[in-house]
Amino acid sequence: MADTLRVVLVDDEDLVRSGLRLLLSNAPDIEVVAEASNGRDAVATVLDTQPDVVLMDIRMPVMDGIEATAQLHSLAGARDIPVVMLTAFDTDEFILHALRAGAVGFLLKTTAPEALVASVRAAAQGQQQLSPKVLENLVGLADTPPQPEQEMIQPSGLDELS
């Protein structure tokens, strides 16, 4: 990890990016090096700037954050750059898809400012970052008993088909 952590912010809302930039810039060891407003631009920006961490929104125009994260994770020039999802949506589907796409973290936009800064630092060191609510959702999924497989009913006459 370098002395100053280089961060790329990705969110389709200017006000959110401005607030995040202001928050992160107040930390002496963090520098916001670039911003993007959609997933497609995020991929290009990350490849150009090679940041230490990417804070990525999920729901954006052109390309969502999950697809952008998957693309970054598949590219040799970006696969080792940690992506932390930062979103207002804590649905199980978003959480699982983001983590499967390669995100190292999933934070909610309700995260306290000091916790967000700490999460950026931790992600740069390779630590996985999950909001408490997200962790609660994942534990709930793990505690859900598997559904019994339903027997498939075969329509009659199928074995006569070639």
Side-chain angles (χ1 to χ4, degrees):
M1 180 171 74
D3 292 338
T4 300
L5 296 176
R6 303 172 72 246
V7 177
V8 167
L9 301 176
V10 185
D11 197 293
D12 58 326
E13 296 183 35
D14 291 337
L15 183 62
V16 171
R17 285 194 323 272
S18 295
L20 290 170
R21 183 181 343 102
L22 181 61
L23 171 70
L24 294 173
S25 296
N26 283 329
D29 59 335
I30 297 176
E31 175 188 5
V32 175
V33 294
E35 298 177 20
S37 61
N38 64 65
R40 183 190 63 211
D41 291 347
V43 172
T45 300
V46 169
L47 288 172
D48 286 345
T49 60
Q50 294 293 300
D52 298 303
V53 177
V54 178
L55 279 179
M56 177 96 64
D57 189 19
I58 288 183
R59 296 189 66 188
M60 296 180 289
V62 183
M63 178 191 296
D64 69 32
I66 293 172
E67 176 61 28
T69 300
Q71 284 192 17
L72 289 170
H73 193 66
S74 72
L75 297 170
R79 102 173 19 115
D80 295 328
I81 298 172
V83 176
V84 176
M85 306 309 286
L86 182 63
T87 183
F89 304 99
D90 66 347
T91 66
D92 296 344
E93 180 182 353
F94 280 154
I95 296 166
L96 293 174
H97 287 296
L99 296 176
R100 287 180 183 142
V104 299
F106 197 104
L107 302 175
L108 299 177
K109 288 183 178 176
T110 57
T111 299
E114 53 279 350
L116 178 66
V117 171
S119 292
V120 167
R121 290 177 181 135
Q125 295 175 352
Q127 298 173 13
Q128 197 159 27
Q129 298 298 302
L130 301 172
S131 288
K133 173 69 174 130
V134 170
L135 188 54
E136 181 181 309
N137 285 18
L138 290 175
V139 168
L141 285 175
D143 286 344
T144 304
Q147 299 297 316
E149 291 186 33
Q150 294 182 353
E151 220 176 278
M152 285 187 56
I153 300 171
Q154 298 291 334
S156 62
L158 281 182
D159 42 326
E160 296 175 13
L161 296 174
S162 60

